[in-house]
Amino acid sequence: MTVTVRFAPSPTGNIHIGNARTAVLNWLFALRHGGRFILRLDDTDAARSREEYAQAIIADLQWLGMQPAAIARQSRRLALYDEAASRLRAAGVLYPCYETETELALKRKARSMAGRPPIYDRAALELTADQRAALEARGARPHWRFKLPDTTITWRDEVRGEVSIDLATLSDPVLVRADGSYLYTLPSVVDDMDMGITHVIRGEDHVVNTAVQIALTGALGGQPLTYAHHSLLTGKDGGGLSKRLGSLGIGDLRQGGLEPETIVSYCATVASSRPIAAHLDMRKLAQDFELSALSRAPARFDEAELEALNAKLLHAMPWEMAAPRLAALGLDVSESLWEAVRGNIGHLPEVADWLAVVNGEISPVIGKEDADFLRQAAAVLPEEPWDESTWKIWTTAVKERTGRKGKALFMPLRLALTGKPHGPEMSRLLPLIGRARANSRLTQQIS
Ligand code: GLU
């Protein structure tokens, strides 16, 4: 049986880091098992679903490097849901209900006050055909509830271990609205069966739904799937992420200069027994992927952690991987410049600053007390060609000539040559800056 998983967002907004994590866990699982990763757009809510969000989700997945094997839209699969609903009606487990929202709210209140769980009382099951006909004649249109079997559903969750839910504690779920449109539950079960989904990997906010979905799967003649419910990422305040999407949309993180592998690595390792680490090779990351390594405890999302991971990723990024990305940013960078600067950047576009240091115009920083020292240093600049040994040869000569050493020797040279107090090793930068530029920076007049 081919492992088949799905990422099933509703296109009612952009996906954030928490949603992306669900996608990453599904994608890695499929990759690990040579399976299929399907994107299923849960767009039966016509009022809230938008094509622009669907497109943004597709684009975000593509940018993250998670190409789905297929993209399905529930809004185009309504005939399948109609057929399933007919079968359930025929079996007597999908029944019409006529209560209004207000009536239901009153019933819930009354039950709560009587100390009983506020679940639906199944009053509609008692209606006679005549009573239903009378309601319909008055213009009432039914919504349809699934009659939950009187049983406890138990499954072995790949993350949470054994989970048991007594269906008697739940209301019979509404599957079809009065206008004939479908709520999430039925289409989800029908699609999971029709698409041959083997593993459902999703957030723990769906644990209770799973009990209902297993029951519904059974009513439709299917076998339960394997379920894995991961914990959710929370914001710094411990609350849910969705409410404060803000800068956490995948598009925003991309705009902010993060690399896709940073986000995938983070999503793959956060809230798990694995250390949060930067991975350049997704196949290798997938090889080690285990659902059982995911922890049950929620994890706080920390943007600073993501930033630090990006720096680590760039630090380790080989030239072949960096080159096309730098070219896409319009930066004409050599391999040796990349090797020199990759350890000193947090985001790829910062390479532009170092490109200016080796190729362009910068403002050398020259303290008054160092001007003479720098002129003397310029006077002993070796002849070219230069390589990584030139810095040592040159600074030894400067030391002999001026008597300076340590920071007093090195810092003014760095400030004059790069305009910055920190940066890559000067032995690597100096040959890239070249003699003419070095000489002109060292001997610049201070104003
Ligand atoms: N559309 C549902 C959601 O976004 C899908 C849940 C599921 O994976 O079944 O929460």
Side-chain angles (χ1 to χ4, degrees), residues 20 57 84 106 130-131 144 176 213 215 225 258 301 317 350 413:
I57 291 168
L106 281 174
D130 285 350
Q131 285 169 321
W144 297 78
V176 192
Q213 292 178 7
L225 317 178
L258 292 179
F301 171 66
M317 190 179 279
E350 289 162 30
L413 297 177

Side-chain angles (χ1 to χ4, degrees), residues 15-17 241 243-256 258 263 301 303 306-307:
I15 55 171
H16 58 57
I17 186 86
L241 280 186
K243 285 177 223 119
R244 46 182 293 274
L245 178 54
S247 60
L248 302 180
I250 298 305
D252 300 300
L253 295 173
R254 175 186 187 173
Q255 293 293 319
L258 292 179
I263 297 175
F301 171 66
E303 225 172 325
L306 203 54
E307 294 291 331

Side-chain angles (χ1 to χ4, degrees), residues 106-128:
L106 281 174
K107 279 190 189 198
R108 278 195 296 269
K109 206 165 157 197
R111 281 181 74 101
S112 288
M113 281 167 66
R116 298 166 68 200
I119 57 174
Y120 179 60
D121 61 7
R122 292 183 163 167
L125 276 178
E126 311 299 325
L127 293 173
T128 62

Side-chain angles (χ1 to χ4, degrees), residues 6 8-10 40 42 184 188 192 200-202 205-206 213:
R6 83 293 196 285
S10 299
R40 192 183 79 205
D42 282 4
Y184 152 75
S188 189
D192 286 346
V200 172
I201 304 167
R202 59 186 173 191
D205 48 336
H206 287 286
Q213 292 178 7

Side-chain angles (χ1 to χ4, degrees), residues 127-142:
L127 293 173
T128 62
D130 285 350
Q131 285 169 321
R132 283 205 298 269
L135 283 161
E136 303 246 348
R138 291 212 303 270
R141 289 287 165 267

